[in-house]
Amino acid sequence: MSLNRNEKAAVIEEVSGQLAEAQSMVVAEYRGIDVGSITVLRKTARENGVYLRVLKNTLVRRSVADTPFEGISEQLTGPLLYAISSDPVAAAKVLSDFAKTNDKIVLKAGALPGSVLDVEGVKALAKMPSREELLAKLLGTMQAPVAKFVRTLNEVPSKFVRGLAAVRDQKESA
């Protein structure tokens, strides 16, 4: 069933709204995938904060016009699945991981604001750690010197107490 003009405008507005907050967009072909597999993919995408939808290419071309993702419009041919995410890595990671286990999903292209990625670029992006992982590593790196300094400061009185205990034990044994 085709969409009427108002429904098409609503879809374009919805996708444009997602793209306004997005940091990445990944496109994949989905020919021959069964309903159970696509349901698992959608669940995984939802859990990772990825907007995942099958859309008409002409509507997406209109949605990406005059946005930083405009360059990807040349890649939009065939039956495509669109993944849009505010985390630069999440969309690529979800589709790339799913494509490893399901040969019906074929990565086609991706886009970051202002640049278009080929399949290898999307796979490289998927291998990068997520924002949360990077923040955790940064926090660990920032805490390490402070923790080491506290252990060093704690060692001075500990040595003094151990020295007093050794003197006490020596006097008691004598």
Side-chain angles (χ1 to χ4, degrees):
M1 186 169 133
S2 64
L3 302 173
N4 65 30
R5 183 180 286 253
N6 293 333
E7 292 169 332
K8 288 179 183 178
V11 169
I12 290 171
E13 187 176 325
E14 179 185 351
V15 174
S16 295
Q18 291 290 331
L19 288 171
E21 301 170 4
Q23 291 294 316
S24 68
M25 177 179 183
V26 179
V27 181
E29 288 187 10
Y30 64 94
R31 293 177 206 256
I33 191 166
D34 59 289
V35 175
S37 297
I38 200 79
T39 304
V40 170
L41 176 59
R42 285 187 171 146
K43 181 178 183 254
T44 306
R46 254 192 320 274
E47 290 170 353
N48 290 297
V50 176
Y51 174 81
L52 186 72
R53 191 154 175 202
V54 174
L55 297 164
K56 291 184 79 162
N57 297 333
T58 55
L59 297 178
V60 176
R61 281 191 196 97
R62 289 181 182 166
S63 297
V64 299
D66 301 325
T67 68
F69 299 99
E70 191 170 23
I72 200 168
S73 61
E74 299 165 2
Q75 305 287 332
L76 306 180
T77 56
L80 297 176
L81 183 67
Y82 296 92
I84 302 170
S85 173
S86 58
D87 181 0
V89 178
K93 196 170 283 232
V94 167
L95 282 180
S96 180
D97 289 347
F98 192 77
K100 288 177 186 173
T101 60
N102 192 324
D103 61 341
K104 304 287 186 195
I105 295 286
V106 179
L107 295 174
K108 188 161 183 180
L112 296 173
S115 66
V116 177
L117 304 171
D118 61 350
V119 176
E120 294 304 316
V122 172
K123 287 179 181 177
L125 184 64
K127 291 178 185 173
M128 289 180 65
S130 68
R131 183 177 190 274
E132 288 77 23
E133 292 174 45
L134 290 173
L135 287 174
K137 288 179 182 180
L138 176 65
L139 185 62
T141 303
M142 290 171 63
Q143 283 182 334
V146 174
K148 196 168 193 172
F149 180 69
V150 169
R151 281 194 299 272
T152 303
L153 286 179
N154 190 34
E155 194 59 33
V156 172
S158 297
K159 258 187 180 178
F160 179 70
V161 170
R162 284 194 301 268
L164 285 178
V167 169
R168 181 196 64 209
D169 291 343
Q170 187 181 21
K171 287 189 176 184
E172 286 178 355
S173 66

